[in-house]
Amino acid sequence: QVQLVESGGDLVQPGGSLRLSCGTSRFTLDVYSISWFRQAPGKEREGVACFNGANSGALYTESVKGRFTISREYAKNSVDLQMNDLKSEDTGVYYCAAVARRCDPSWWPDRREFDYWGQGTQVTVSS
C-alpha cells in the first residue's frame, strides 16, 4: 500500500515562497513517479509538476515553469515542490499522487492515470 503525506501548506503573500513536501517510503520513490496537483475552489484539479524517479526527470505545467522546482529529497524520503514568486492564482489545495510509470508529455497530467493520492495541503497566496 502506497501512502503519501503532504505538508508545508500555509498562507503567504504574493511574491513569497513555500516548500511543500510529499512524504512516502523509499520503495515508493524508487518505483513510482510522484506528481503534484492543485485544485482551486470551483475549478478542476490540475497537474503542476511530476518527478520521474527512474531518471530524475521532471515535467511542469506552463504556468509554473521558472518559478516552481520539483525534486527528490533522499534524506527525508520525500518529493518536494519549491514554489517561488507565488501569485494569487497559485492558491488551492495541493495534492501529491503516485503512478507506477514514467510521467510523459503524451499523457501527463491526466489525473486518471494516478493510483494513489495524499490528503492535500492548503496553499493560500494573499496580501
Side-chain angles (χ1 to χ4, degrees), residues 47-74:
V48 176
C50 190
F51 183 83
N52 289 313
N55 62 4
S56 298
L59 298 177
Y60 298 92
T61 193
E62 195 64 35
S63 64
V64 308
K65 286 181 180 178
R67 300 189 298 123
F68 291 12
T69 302
I70 190 171
S71 62
R72 177 175 175 174
E73 302 299 320
Y74 288 85

Side-chain angles (χ1 to χ4, degrees), residues 22-123:
C22 176
T24 185
S25 70
R26 178 175 176 177
F27 172 80
T28 298
L29 294 178
D30 287 342
V31 173
Y32 290 79
S33 294
I34 303 295
S35 185
W36 281 96
F37 288 78
R38 66 186 178 191
Q39 188 165 18
K43 294 188 176 181
E44 290 193 356
R45 194 171 299 188
E46 64 168 349
V48 176
C50 190
F51 183 83
N52 289 313
N55 62 4
S56 298
L59 298 177
Y60 298 92
T61 193
E62 195 64 35
S63 64
V64 308
K65 286 181 180 178
R67 300 189 298 123
F68 291 12
T69 302
I70 190 171
S71 62
R72 177 175 175 174
E73 302 299 320
Y74 288 85
K76 298 192 306 179
N77 283 334
S78 68
V79 171
D80 289 5
L81 185 68
Q82 176 66 41
M83 306 186 294
N84 299 327
D85 189 23
L86 283 161
K87 307 176 187 298
S88 58
E89 52 263 42
D90 295 317
T91 294
V93 179
Y94 282 68
Y95 301 88
C96 63
V99 60
R101 61 187 294 202
R102 187 168 61 93
C103 287
D104 185 270
S106 63
W107 63 266
W108 184 84
D110 188 345
R111 62 182 185 272
R112 297 170 297 179
E113 296 288 333
F114 287 81
D115 305 304
Y116 302 96
W117 292 82
Q119 82 288 350
T121 186
Q122 176 70 45
V123 172

